[in-house]
Amino acid sequence: MRFHDHRQAGEELGRLLLDRVADTDGTDGTDVIVLALPRGGVPVAAEVARALGVPLDVLVARKIGAPRHPEFGIGAIAGEDPPVYDGRALQMLGLAEDELASDVARERAELHRREALYREGRPPPAVEGRTVILVDDGLATGVTARAALRHLRSRHPARLILAVPVCAPDTAETIRRDADDVVCLFRPDSFRSVGEWYEEFAQVSDDEVIATLRRPGFVRSGPGTRPASHRR
């Protein structure tokens, strides 16, 4: 199974979540919010939010890459929380957490830049007492999603769901301790990277993220608010 692009993956994920959210919460969706992990998670999450008829917003988290190999995630940060590290990766590379202070500071600065850029002056969305669906375009090591989930958990949502189109099977199991539910369309036995499961896996730009969040119909506000196109 491969997805054509982010949009198609989001459409399929949204269809699955329609039943999952209804079965779990028994609500009309007014207490549900979809949060995307930028940047790749945004076009996927947009289709999920559209299918469910609920607000869309973003939660910025940043991966901490290994020294000299930044693409290999060994930790991540979200909000002002302390870093979340992959202990096995640190041990394998012979690294100590205090050796990564400069990397954490750099990623924290980038996190703040992106939050300011994407939020355009808006406060973070209210999540307390709501069902929060955190969406990304795939789950490899899971360290970024884990940092985001722990940050959200500290803000007391009623239910916390991680939803992705494709995931590494082992990661999906280990991350369950940080979410109330993990929804994944496809768990291939042979998993090397998220991108291999998309026919088109173009990098999502900051401009695309902002344009998606500005799209008519996506209302980003407090509990009880639904996109205008879905109000009855």
Side-chain angles (χ1 to χ4, degrees):
M1 178 178 179
R2 295 179 74 199
F3 303 102
H4 175 65
D5 57 13
H6 286 102
R7 180 175 179 176
Q8 189 231 331
E11 289 172 347
E12 295 193 23
L13 191 59
R15 283 194 288 270
L16 177 61
L17 282 163
L18 268 174
D19 291 334
R20 185 69 65 95
V21 170
D23 290 345
T24 300
D25 296 282
T27 71
D28 63 358
T30 55
D31 64 344
V32 179
I33 185 170
V34 172
L35 297 182
L37 283 172
R39 291 180 291 202
V42 171
V44 180
E47 297 306 322
V48 171
R50 190 194 311 279
L52 299 179
V54 300
L56 169 71
D57 214 315
V58 292
L59 174 63
V60 181
R62 291 293 298 169
K63 177 176 69 177
I64 301 167
R68 297 179 295 280
H69 299 283
E71 71 285 349
F72 180 61
I74 57 175
I77 53 173
E80 298 302 318
D81 298 352
V84 173
Y85 287 107
D86 183 330
R88 288 184 298 178
L90 292 182
Q91 185 176 23
M92 181 181 70
L93 296 171
L95 293 170
E97 293 183 14
D98 57 7
E99 296 178 72
L100 299 167
S102 61
D103 300 88
V104 172
R106 183 178 61 252
E107 294 303 334
R108 188 88 67 185
E110 177 61 14
L111 183 151
H112 290 157
R113 184 195 74 83
R114 292 196 184 196
E115 282 185 332
L117 185 66
Y118 301 155
R119 306 219 73 82
E120 299 186 297
R122 291 180 293 106
V127 301
E128 184 174 356
R130 307 176 79 179
T131 292
V132 179
I133 304 174
L134 181 68
V135 177
D136 204 354
D137 55 7
L139 196 65
T141 66
V143 67
T144 304
R146 185 173 294 115
L149 287 167
R150 292 182 183 180
H151 175 71
L152 288 168
R153 183 70 76 188
S154 71
R155 294 166 60 189
H156 309 294
R159 187 165 182 81
L160 188 53
I161 300 170
L162 175 65
V164 293
V166 60
C167 56
D170 290 347
T171 302
E173 291 306 314
T174 59
I175 208 168
R176 284 187 179 278
R177 70 192 69 171
D178 295 300
D180 296 310
D181 196 4
V182 177
V183 178
C184 181
L185 288 169
F186 185 38
R187 303 184 185 196
D189 292 330
S190 175
F191 186 100
R192 294 186 300 273
S193 69
V194 172
E196 69 177 317
W197 303 102
Y198 287 81
E199 294 173 0
E200 295 182 6
F201 196 66
Q203 185 174 8
V204 178
S205 68
D206 284 340
D207 287 344
E208 290 176 84
V209 172
I210 295 166
T212 300
L213 294 173
R214 288 177 177 173
R215 193 177 299 168
F218 287 143
V219 178
R220 304 173 299 281
S221 56
T225 306
R226 307 186 72 184
S229 59
H230 293 273
R231 291 179 187 149
R232 295 185 177 91

